[in-house]
Amino acid sequence: MENKNNSAKDNTMEKIISLCKRRGFIYQGSEIYGGLAGTWDYGPLGVELKNNIQNLWWKRFVTDREDMYGISAAILMNQEVWKSTGHVAGFADPLVEDLKTKKRYRVDHLLEANGVDPKGMSLEDMDNLLKEKKIKSPDGNQLGDARQFNLMLKTHIGAIEDDSSISYLRPETAQGMFVNFKNVVDSFHPKLPFGLAQIGKAFRNEIAPRDFIFRVRELEQMEIEYFVKEENWAENFESLREEMWNYIKDLGINLEKVHELEVGDGDRAHYSKRTIDFEFDFPFGRKELYGLAYRTDFDLKSHATGSKVDLSYFDEEAGARIVPHCIEPSFGVGRTILAVIADAYMEEPAKEEGEEPRVYLKFAPKVAPTVAAVFPLLKNKPELVQKARDVFNSLRKDSVLAGRIAFDDNGNIGKRYRRQDEIGTPFCITVDFDTLGENPENKDTVTVRNRDTGVQERIPLHDLTYLLKDALIA
Ligand code: GAP
């Protein structure tokens, strides 16, 4: 058995993208019109995988805790929000234009491709280096001057298109929490420390969307703004850092592929006093998966100034009003999905000549879209099909398993196994003649095949629900 994630030069990404399309996980956005760069659509299995990943997150960070308040804020926000936060003035990437083709490139990406590490460099430094090293565009043409390019997607609200009707599709979900801080405090009177959490869409006009769902223009984030007293920021930062690792464990991905990076002074966002990036070894290299930032009191203070609304909090212990500080764990949904799929992608060489290699997704049962598939051994034996349908329906009745059990009687058993392996189904259950009592010793038992080992076991029907539910808890 071989996990094909190690080499950045192999074609693992192509195989993953092809499997995702073939099996109904992820399709190119607007595909029949030639696509729309940086957008992807989730198919029937992709959406189940996404729901499982989001539900695990919501459970760990919201429903299992008493100090978290879930919200779901509007994507469109008053443009003043983004003026206060500094996004209108400074949420930008450095860009350079090919003077001939007019194609635009990220300056930092061009420098990286030419062996320069651009971390911590100013726009001016990067521009000077491009010129000093006489770096050309990937098409071999002269480049223009480097400039900043704002990543926010702008739109107009209402019938009149003027400056007063400008709105932006939010570039992060975070601000939905800051602008609702006062609402939640007024409704629930939470004691510090407490957090606001949400899962939702965000939009960035990325200059170079790439690497499948890694860098996209329409993304989803799972974010928490956790409010603390200033003097307690470091201990809360640590406990959220630990919870981020626990969530990564929930996903079942190989922890050796996840690495922390302490982000240096010149590379942190303007609002952050400390940032740790969680990086993952993707097939195309080690890249950012999540971020944990100490945002200080920057956002609440900026919004208080911008909105002229008092966003302080009455600290009963101190008997005074304070502006809480904030720790932000931020998770990209798409990057989580890509890490889960890339980590799970396995290829097993063919055992015999003429056989195809076995491809399977070694999903943890918790995230697998389908936990078990039920088959009749033969499609043309009505008594087997009926019994298999009964098993399928009884498993589906269980509220935990509902929606995660499949029925398959297409093709032969070998083909069904291959299909379920490719979508990462941990268990395949086969109803055969023994189940019906041909061999009385095995009456009302079925074979259960384990995806990873290929080993089959006979299990009494009445134990099936427990077996599958135990796998979901593990
Ligand atoms: N609120 C803080 C914030 O948005 P960020 O580092 O810009 O910080 C947080 O983004 C996370 O969102 C990233 O760690 C990544 O998982 C995800 N993300 C950001 N930009 C993305 C993009 N263009 N495509 C996919 N995911 C993205």
Side-chain angles (χ1 to χ4, degrees), residues 332-349:
V333 175
R335 288 191 190 177
T336 309
I337 293 171
L338 186 54
V340 165
I341 294 179
D343 182 54
Y345 184 84
M346 300 283 160
E347 274 181 16
E348 198 176 74

Side-chain angles (χ1 to χ4, degrees), residues 30-304:
S30 315
E31 190 178 0
I32 62 167
Y33 286 98
L36 177 68
T39 66
W40 296 89
D41 295 342
Y42 287 84
L45 292 180
V47 77
E48 294 301 336
L49 177 64
K50 185 151 82 78
N51 286 343
N52 294 340
I53 282 170
Q54 292 179 342
N55 290 341
L56 283 172
W57 188 89
W58 195 258
K59 179 170 161 23
R60 172 167 290 285
F61 287 106
V62 184
T63 47
D64 279 358
R65 300 177 62 130
E66 287 185 47
D67 58 347
M68 288 285 188
Y69 297 81
I71 68 159
S72 178
I75 288 171
L76 293 170
M77 300 177 89
N78 189 312
Q79 59 170 297
E80 297 303 322
V81 169
W82 307 108
K83 289 183 186 162
S84 297
T85 57
H87 281 80
V88 172
F91 187 59
D93 273 343
L95 167 150
V96 74
E97 198 170 270
D98 176 320
L99 293 177
K100 194 168 173 201
T101 64
K102 305 292 174 209
K103 280 191 207 158
R104 291 163 171 193
Y105 300 95
R106 286 253 309 247
V107 181
D108 49 341
H109 291 172
L110 283 180
L111 287 172
E112 271 169 15
N114 283 276
V116 180
D117 181 0
K119 278 204 181 84
M121 279 188 198
S122 67
L123 180 72
E124 210 185 339
D125 289 347
M126 289 195 275
D127 195 34
N128 287 339
L129 255 179
L130 277 181
K131 289 179 174 135
E132 229 170 71
K133 292 186 157 272
K134 297 189 173 39
I135 292 174
K136 296 254 169 74
S137 79
D139 292 328
N141 302 319
Q142 201 70 33
L143 293 165
D145 291 334
R147 62 190 173 88
Q148 293 292 1
F149 172 76
N150 196 295
L151 295 180
M152 283 202 295
L153 278 150
K154 205 190 247 182
T155 186
H156 288 269
I157 303 285
I160 299 164
E161 285 201 12
D162 64 10
D163 282 355
S164 69
S165 67
I166 291 175
S167 182
Y168 300 94
L169 302 184
R170 65 183 179 198
E172 59 173 5
T173 59
Q175 298 307 325
M177 269 84 87
F178 291 116
V179 301
N180 281 292
F181 170 80
K182 185 171 163 20
N183 284 333
V184 174
V185 169
D186 290 348
S187 310
F188 296 91
H189 310 289
K191 295 261 170 296
L192 286 175
F194 68 89
L196 267 60
Q198 77 169 319
I199 299 179
K201 294 242 176 180
F203 300 80
R204 298 181 183 187
N205 196 7
E206 295 283 355
I207 301 159
R210 61 179 183 184
D211 295 322
F212 192 29
I213 54 172
F214 177 80
R215 188 180 303 288
V216 294
R217 290 183 169 138
E218 179 172 336
L219 55 132
E220 251 173 305
Q221 292 182 317
M222 309 184 280
E223 294 199 300
I224 294 161
E225 306 307 326
Y226 197 70
F227 298 101
V228 302
K229 291 188 189 179
E230 180 178 5
E231 61 270 28
N232 298 335
W233 80 265
E235 68 196 61
N236 284 294
F237 190 92
E238 282 312 313
S239 72
L240 287 166
R241 179 184 188 173
E242 204 178 312
E243 274 304 271
M244 290 179 80
W245 277 107
N246 286 334
Y247 175 66
I248 295 168
K249 284 181 203 155
D250 288 345
L251 297 170
I253 53 185
N254 180 351
L255 298 182
E256 283 176 16
K257 292 185 193 154
V258 184
H259 314 270
E260 285 190 3
L261 174 81
E262 187 76 46
V263 181
D265 285 348
D267 290 318
R268 282 195 302 271
H270 59 284
Y271 51 72
S272 174
K273 262 202 180 157
R274 186 177 181 198
T275 298
I276 290 177
D277 279 352
F278 286 68
E279 298 188 317
F280 181 78
D281 294 327
F282 289 100
F284 42 85
R286 186 174 293 181
K287 304 270 175 193
E288 180 183 334
L289 177 65
Y290 303 141
L292 173 65
Y294 169 36
R295 290 181 82 126
T296 68
D297 54 1
F298 174 84
D299 301 85
L300 287 183
K301 276 199 169 150
S302 305
H303 287 307

Side-chain angles (χ1 to χ4, degrees), residues 1-2 347-352 355-359 418:
M1 180 179 37
E2 183 190 4
E347 274 181 16
E348 198 176 74
K351 290 198 179 90
E352 283 168 36
E355 253 189 12
E356 291 282 305
R358 182 168 85 101
V359 171
R418 292 266 159 155

Side-chain angles (χ1 to χ4, degrees), residues 374-381 383-389 407-411 413 416 429-432:
V374 183
F375 313 150
L377 180 66
L378 299 169
K379 189 183 177 171
N380 58 359
K381 296 283 173 199
E383 62 279 31
L384 283 179
V385 175
Q386 184 54 53
K387 186 71 181 172
R389 282 236 157 247
F407 181 86
D408 192 356
D409 62 0
N410 273 322
I413 284 276
R416 295 179 209 158
I429 297 165
T430 304
V431 169
D432 56 17

